[in-house]
Amino acid sequence: MKKLLFFALFAVAGSAHASTYYVSDCGTGAAAQCVAGNDANAGTSATEPWKSCAKVTQRFPTLAAGDQVLFARGSAVPACQLYYLSNFNSRKDNPITLGAYTPPWASGIMANPILLGT
């Protein structure tokens, strides 16, 4: 029983450390009410997101397995070049994922984020 309890606590503790990072910029094609983030932000709050893909590229190698990077719906991120992302922490059973979130400034249904890049 003690071994099972320890394993259950370890499994929960391991997944509890995953972080979510938020990105929002208001480039060409963004919603009128878009609010850009700031790369000086921690990026761990939807109300204080990062601004650029450059920040994502800079931080990506240090992300932990299970972390997420979410781009604001209704935003448009210019010069977004994410093809050099590399991270040795990501695992098949616990990957680092990219996705979208509905930002606090959104009203109604927002379009998926636009990632503008070469």
Side-chain angles (χ1 to χ4, degrees):
M1 180 64 176
K2 286 183 183 179
K3 287 182 184 179
L4 180 59
L5 180 59
F6 174 76
F7 178 76
L9 289 174
F10 180 74
V12 170
S15 63
H17 295 299
S19 296
T20 301
Y21 297 91
Y22 300 89
V23 184
S24 180
D25 197 0
C26 304
T28 302
Q33 66 267 39
C34 181
V35 176
N38 184 322
D39 284 345
N41 291 342
T44 53
S45 166
T47 59
E48 294 183 354
W50 292 333
K51 182 177 181 179
S52 71
C53 283
K55 183 67 172 190
V56 174
T57 300
Q58 174 194 17
R59 289 292 307 275
F60 198 83
T62 65
L63 299 182
D67 284 356
Q68 297 180 36
V69 177
L70 304 178
F71 293 86
R73 288 186 175 87
S75 72
V77 185
C80 190
Q81 299 178 13
L82 297 176
Y83 47 81
Y84 290 119
L85 297 180
S86 178
N87 183 297
F88 293 109
N89 298 320
S90 187
R91 299 285 180 252
K92 181 179 178 180
D93 61 341
N94 198 15
I96 295 169
T97 58
L98 302 177
Y101 73 100
T102 301
W105 46 260
S107 60
I109 297 172
M110 303 300 290
N112 283 329
I114 300 169
L115 304 181
L116 302 166
T118 54

